[in-house]
Amino acid sequence: MNRPPRGPRPIRITQQAHPRLRVDGTDLVTRPMTLEDAQGIRDMHERCSPETLRLRYFGPLPRLSDAVMRMFTNPERGITLVTHLEGEPRQVVAMTNLMDLEPGEAEVALLVEDGWQGRGLGGVLMRYALALAPSRRAQVITASVYASNARMLSILKSAGAEQPSMTGLILDVRLPLTSSPTETAPCG
Ligand SMILES: CC(C)(COP(=O)(O)OP(=O)(O)OC[C@H]1O[C@@H](n2cnc3c(N)ncnc32)[C@H](O)[C@@H]1OP(=O)(O)O)[C@@H](O)C(=O)NCCC(=O)NCCS
């Protein structure tokens, strides 16, 4: 029977196996966020330029309250990955959100702090997010992106996103997932 997917699948990500990346000689670890990462994430936002925050949040930075942190880490709502310097979990350099929208659909949003932008990290994080989509039972990934955000649009296009049919300041980009669902996630 063809039932709509209900609720997230259990996520098979462990805290033991984290993908490692070497970016310009620095090792980075990407793993699911926990509430212990809240301060590192707040610090990372403070290092970001107003332009970077505008591109991510489309306005003033929302207050990164404890409630927001709980939402980021709530497995009923989605999954958030933090990327930090290896061995320095407080030194967060990027955050990846994959949050449920409606059944079968999840929204991806990336934030790479300014000093780490343009070095290929965003493209890798998008691949991690896509690999996690089956754990959210998502068949479509969406992203809201400023039409001027060449980097994010390039990442989405490379990942197979549809050409947005609309025009305007902010584009809603759709990325249908064609591969058969698998529980394999890059983080574990
Ligand atoms: C958008 C963002 C996540 C991209 O991450 P990044 O690590 O800087 O990007 P990458 O180095 O992986 O490059 C991404 C793409 O942009 C291209 N690119 C790199 N520098 C660029 C530049 N100055 N101008 C245009 N394109 C550029 C790369 O060639 C790459 O293209 P490809 O995926 O087709 O190879 C990051 O810049 C960021 O956090 N920006 C602010 C917040 C934001 O815009 N979030 C997205 C809203 S959901």
Side-chain angles (χ1 to χ4, degrees), residues 17-174:
H18 312 314
R20 282 170 167 69
L21 284 171
R22 177 160 285 200
V23 179
D24 295 341
T26 303
D27 290 321
L28 300 177
V29 173
T30 299
R31 60 171 173 77
M33 176 191 167
T34 71
L35 284 177
E36 288 182 12
D37 295 311
Q39 195 53 49
I41 284 179
R42 290 186 178 108
D43 292 346
M44 188 263 281
H45 278 76
E46 285 196 4
R47 289 192 300 272
C48 285
S49 66
E51 174 63 2
T52 285
L53 296 175
R54 186 186 71 89
L55 290 173
R56 169 62 181 84
Y57 295 105
F58 307 99
L61 172 63
R63 204 167 76 82
L64 295 172
S65 61
D66 291 346
V68 169
M69 296 300 173
R70 283 196 296 277
M71 193 260 290
F72 282 165
T73 52
N74 182 349
E76 297 295 318
R77 304 286 300 274
I79 180 160
T80 297
L81 302 176
V82 286
T83 303
H84 60 80
L85 305 191
E86 182 160 35
E88 297 181 60
R90 286 285 292 272
Q91 291 299 311
V92 175
V93 301
M95 180 177 80
T96 304
N97 299 105
L98 184 68
M99 305 309 286
D100 300 341
L101 285 183
E102 47 188 82
E105 202 171 321
E107 182 176 50
V108 69
L110 304 179
L111 178 63
V112 176
E113 81 168 73
D114 294 60
W116 288 86
Q117 291 176 10
R119 306 200 216 172
L121 191 50
V124 173
L125 295 178
M126 175 61 76
R127 289 202 290 280
Y128 290 173
L130 292 184
L132 289 169
S135 75
R136 307 311 307 169
R137 296 184 185 275
Q139 285 108 43
V140 178
I141 298 292
T142 62
S144 292
V145 188
Y146 272 116
S148 60
N149 193 342
R151 277 185 185 155
M152 190 64 189
L153 290 172
S154 175
I155 287 174
L156 286 161
K157 189 174 173 197
S158 299
E162 295 170 351
Q163 179 71 25
S165 53
M166 59 201 281
T167 55
L169 199 59
I170 296 175
L171 305 176
D172 290 324
V173 182
R174 281 172 56 86

